Every structure is written in structure tokens, then in C-alpha cells.
């Protein structure tokens, strides 16, 4: 997730995916929207957009993701 | 949904024809359709699904021309002489595959990379195979192009995931070399069939070695639940890719026969179908917006598939055990049915139902 902008009940999220050819995009957007609505019920207008710059790289992974994939440092 | 239905209908028709071809005495609704087995499985079933996946990923309306065209081609293959224009399916499928290449051109423009190039070249191989099919070439002249399409599509996906392990330049070069060998093999096969099939074999063995050594499945197999299930399916599939490659390399079967059957079905069933089983739990949410929670019973259809491919390969390679071929084929069909059954069960038994 690159950017989160909150303006009253409006939430704008900019995020990327590991691959622009991945079909899970809409599904991930849905998950993000429902995660925001469940933790912030006042958010009425949630917009999630994908951006491709900067490119995703392995340094952006969380420690937890790294551990799950056995990727190490 | 209609496209998914076209894909599943193609799978059902394709499997039925496959069972008749291998010797099961089942009724055929009309004559002269046995040759449709390969096109139904590769283009009708997998081609429609892969086109649909790419269109969903692109997210632009024109991209859906790919699965619509391929799906229509699939339906016209399914219905055979019932539809008025008998030769329409190669035209439709070829046109759809060209749209898939266009989708790859657009996403590669967004973010050029080796994995997108690999998958894009896989799509190009599909177009080349389809064009020959359209021109009236025999399926055995076309099928290695189709094999390259599926193998490169899957290998590209795995390379994409491999980035979490930060592959070195040498690792990526090794992958590129293996993928190029597969492509070179199918190109050589046009002029020198035997040499070409052997080169394809070397490429498949090289890709298997790369996947066995570098794929994240080797690590994720130590996880639990769906992650482990996927890794088990992936590793099992890689083993069959290696077996298929080795048979192609050693025996170089260029025309239909038992060894040809062994190469195609270790790769298409053992490798490709195992990948389909592996990815179903993550791909269903993407395509139809329905979650597919993992159940332990998924191991039943995956296990049965591998047993069935083993029986078939033994039947193919040994004269004495030739009967195992048809039995293995029937078991593969049962594994596919069980996969559909487990999938439906997983969706409907979910607390709360559809998302």
C-alpha cells in the first residue's frame, strides 16, 4: 500500500500488485474496501486504485510475509 | 459465468472423447469428432480459462474479446455438426488467442519483465499452433506448440512468484535458457520433427530442474492448509513435467502412438492439471467472485490424478501392462469429476454461502 488519504468520510487508497498480469486485482480491491469499512464504519466513500510506479520489489514484503515464504533477509 | 460454462462443457466433452479414443466403449453423439479431443482440452477448456484470467487481469472491456472468442470456438467444437459452420472453431480460437497476445503486449508495456515476456511468448506459441490448425494441419503437428503455450504460461507464473526469493541474474538466465529451449524445440519440430521433439524434451527437463530447485513450493510445502496443498500439487506436477521431458528426449515420439500418448499426458494431465488443482482455490475468487475454502478432501482428487497418470504412463511404456493405459485414463476422468465435486462442495458448504 503506497498511500492512504482520509478526508472526512472519504478514503483514498493507492496500492500496487506484484504483477500487472494478476487476475486477483478486483478481489483484492474488494478485500481492502471491506477491511476499511469493518474497522472504520464511518468511511462512506472508499476508493482503491492500483498504481504501477514504483514497481513492487521483494524489499517491500513484511517480516511476516518473508517468514511464510521462507524468503529470509 | 457463460465463459466458465463453455470451458467446463469443453472439459466434459473432451474427456468423453478421450475415453472413447483410448478404448472405452462409450456412445458418440456423432461421427468424425474424435480428433476434437486435443482442441477441446487445450483450447476449449484451458484456453478459455487462461483467456478469461488475462481479461480479468487487464480490467479493460476489449480484453474480454479473448475469452468470448475462444469460448465461442469451444462451444462450436462442443456442439460439432449441430452448429451451422463446421470450421468456425479454429477461426474463433485463433482470433481469441491473438487478443491474448495483445493483452500481454499492453501489460508488458506497463511493466516489462522476463516473466511477462515468457507468458507472452507462450501466448504467441498458442497463436502459431492455432494458425496451423486453422490451415488444416494435423493435431500432432500442432500439439507441441500448444504444449509450449501451457508450459510457458505456467513457468512464467512461477518465475513471477520466485521474485520473493530475490533471484540472481544467473538464476533468471537459467530460466530464460530453459524456456528458450522449449520454444526452439517447437520451432525446429516444424522442419525436423524428431530433433525438435528432443530439444523440447531437453527444455522441459531443464525447466523441471529450475522449478525443483528455485520454486517457492519447496519452502511453502512446510506450511499448512491450502498453502501446503498448493505446494504438494506444484511439486507433484513438476515431477511429471520432468518425466514427460525425459520421454520426449529419449524416444522423440513425433506421431501418435503410446510414447506420444505418454509425453502429452504426463505434461497435460500430470503437470498442467495438477497446476489447475493447485491454483483453483485462489483463481476461483478472482474469476467468479466466490471463495473456495480449502478442505482436506482436496487431497483426494489431487492424489487420484497422480495415481491415474502413473498407471497410464506405465501402460504406455510397457507392452505387457498396456491395459493400464485405459484404466489410468478412466481414473483421470474420475479425478476431474471429484475435483468438480469437491469444488462445488467447498463453495456451497461455506458458512454464509457466496460472498
Amino acid at each position: 500500500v503506497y498511500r492512504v488519504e482520509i478526508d472526512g468520510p472519504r478514503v483514498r487508497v493507492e496500492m500496487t500488485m506484484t504483477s500487472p498480469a494478476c487476475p486477483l486485482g478486483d478481489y483484492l480491491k474488494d478485500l481492502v474496501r471491506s477491511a476499511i469499512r469493518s474497522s472504520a464504519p464511518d468511511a462512506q466513500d472508499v476508493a482503491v486504485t492500483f498504481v504501477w510506479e514504483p514497481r513492487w520489489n521483494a524489499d517491500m514484503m513484511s517480516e511476516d510475509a518473508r517468514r511464510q515464504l521462507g524468503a529470509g533477509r | 459465468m457463460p465463459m466458465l460454462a463453455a470451458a467446463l462443457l469443453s472439459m466434459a466433452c473432451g474427456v468423453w472423447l478421450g475415453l472413447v479414443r483410448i478404448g472405452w466403449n462409450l456412445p458418440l453423439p456423432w461421427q468424425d469428432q474424435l480428433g476434437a479431443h486435443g482442441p477441446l482440452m487445450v483450447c476449449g477448456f484451458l484456453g478459455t480459462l487462461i483467456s478469461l484470467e488475462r481479461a480479468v487481469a487487464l480490467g479493460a472491456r476489449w480484453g474480454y474479446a479473448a475469452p468470448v472468442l475462444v469460448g465461442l470456438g469451444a462451444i462450436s467444437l462442443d456442439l460439432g455438426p449441430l452448429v451451422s459452420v463446421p470450421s468456425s472453431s479454429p477461426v474463433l480460437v485463433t482470433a481469441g488467442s491473438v487478443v491474448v497476445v495483445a493483452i500481454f503486449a499492453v501489460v508488458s508495456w506497463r511493466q516489462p519483465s522476463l516473466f511477462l515476456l515468457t507468458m507472452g511468448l507462450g501466448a504467441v506459441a498458442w497463436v502459431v499452433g492455432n494458425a496451423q490448425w486453422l490451415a488444416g494441419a494435423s493435431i500432432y503437428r500442432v500439439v507441441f506448440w500448444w504444449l509450449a503455450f501451457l508450459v510457458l504460461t505456467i513457468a512464467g507464473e512461477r518465475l513471477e512468484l520466485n521474485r520473493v526469493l530475490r533471484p540472481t541474474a544467473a538464476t533468471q538466465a537459467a530460466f530464460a535458457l530453459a524456456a528458450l529451449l522449449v520454444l526452439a524445440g517447437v520451432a525446429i519440430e516444424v522442419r525436423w520433427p524428431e530433433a525438435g521433439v528432443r530439444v523440447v524434451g531437453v527444455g522441459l527437463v531443464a525447466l523441471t530442474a529450475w522449478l525443483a530447485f528455485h520454486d517457492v513450493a519447496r519452502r511453502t510445502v512446510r506450511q499448512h492448509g491450502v498453502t501446503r496443498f498448493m505446494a504438494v500439487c506444484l511439486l507433484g506436477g513438476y515431477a511429471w513435467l520432468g518425466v514427460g521431458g525425459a520421454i520426449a528426449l529419449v524416444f522423440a515420439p513425433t506421431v501418435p502412438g503410446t510414447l506420444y500418448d505418454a509425453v502429452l499426458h504426463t505434461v497435460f494431465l500430470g503437470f498442467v492439471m495438477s497446476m489447475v488443482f493447485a491454483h483453483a482455490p485462489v483463481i476461483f475468487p478472482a474469476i467468479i467472485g466466490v471463495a473456495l475454502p480449502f478442505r482436506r478432501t482436496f487431497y483426494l482428487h489431487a492424489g487420484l490424478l497422480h495415481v491415474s497418470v502413473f498407471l497410464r504412463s506405465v501402460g504406455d511404456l510397457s507392452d505387457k501392462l498396456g491395459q493400464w493405459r485405459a484404466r489410468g485414463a478412466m481414473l483421470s476422468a474420475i479425478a476431474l469429476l471429484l475435483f468438480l465435486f469437491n469444488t462445488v462442495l467447498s463453495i456451497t458448504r461455506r458458512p454464509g454461502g457466496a460472498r
Side-chain angles (χ1 to χ4, degrees), chain A residues 5-66:
Chain A
E5 212 176 87
I6 301 166
D7 178 15
R10 288 160 50 117
V11 180
R12 297 277 171 275
V13 177
E14 276 184 12
M15 61 183 283
T16 194
M17 289 200 297
T18 57
S19 159
C22 174
L24 287 171
D26 285 339
Y27 183 62
L28 289 179
K29 280 183 180 172
D30 276 356
L31 291 182
V32 169
R33 274 191 288 262
S34 58
I36 291 173
R37 292 216 174 93
S38 71
S39 63
D42 295 339
Q44 280 157 14
D45 174 16
V46 179
V48 184
T49 45
F50 287 126
V51 291
W52 304 105
E53 288 298 329
R55 260 181 184 224
W56 178 89
N57 67 67
D59 295 329
M60 297 177 182
M61 284 194 299
S62 66
E63 274 308 317
D64 192 39
R66 245 183 267 276

Side-chain angles (χ1 to χ4, degrees), chain B residues 5 10 62 80 97 104 161 169 171 214-215 240 263 288 321:
Chain B
S10 300
W62 66 267
S97 61
F104 274 111
L161 257 172
T171 304
H214 296 291
D215 197 88
W240 286 119
V263 171
I288 54 173
L321 299 172

Side-chain angles (χ1 to χ4, degrees), chain B residues 86-228:
Chain B
S87 59
S88 60
S89 42
V91 179
L92 291 165
V93 170
T94 307
S97 61
V98 170
V99 179
V100 175
V101 172
I103 294 176
F104 274 111
V106 170
V107 291
S108 297
W109 182 259
R110 273 185 207 164
Q111 224 178 58
S113 61
L114 179 58
F115 74 86
L116 285 176
L117 180 65
T118 307
M119 294 160 79
L121 286 175
V124 170
W126 191 28
V127 172
V128 175
N130 291 342
Q132 296 177 72
W133 178 40
L134 177 61
S138 303
I139 295 301
Y140 69 88
R141 303 292 295 151
V142 171
V143 76
F144 284 97
W145 287 96
W146 286 349
L147 182 144
F149 157 52
L150 296 175
V151 167
L152 293 182
T153 300
I154 295 165
E157 296 266 15
R158 300 315 299 172
L159 180 67
E160 196 268 301
L161 257 172
N162 181 258
R163 291 181 303 162
V164 305
L165 302 179
R166 295 188 184 82
T168 60
T171 304
Q172 299 201 42
F175 177 92
L177 182 67
L180 272 179
L181 277 169
V182 175
L183 273 181
V186 291
I188 294 169
E189 205 247 347
V190 175
R191 185 79 178 74
W192 299 282
E194 200 183 310
V197 171
R198 281 193 214 280
V199 175
V200 170
V202 175
L204 297 182
V205 170
L207 262 185
T208 306
W210 190 94
L211 290 165
F213 198 73
H214 296 291
D215 197 88
V216 290
R218 254 181 69 178
R219 298 153 192 262
T220 52
V221 76
R222 292 184 214 128
Q223 299 271 324
H224 302 284
V226 68
T227 315
R228 166 174 263 171

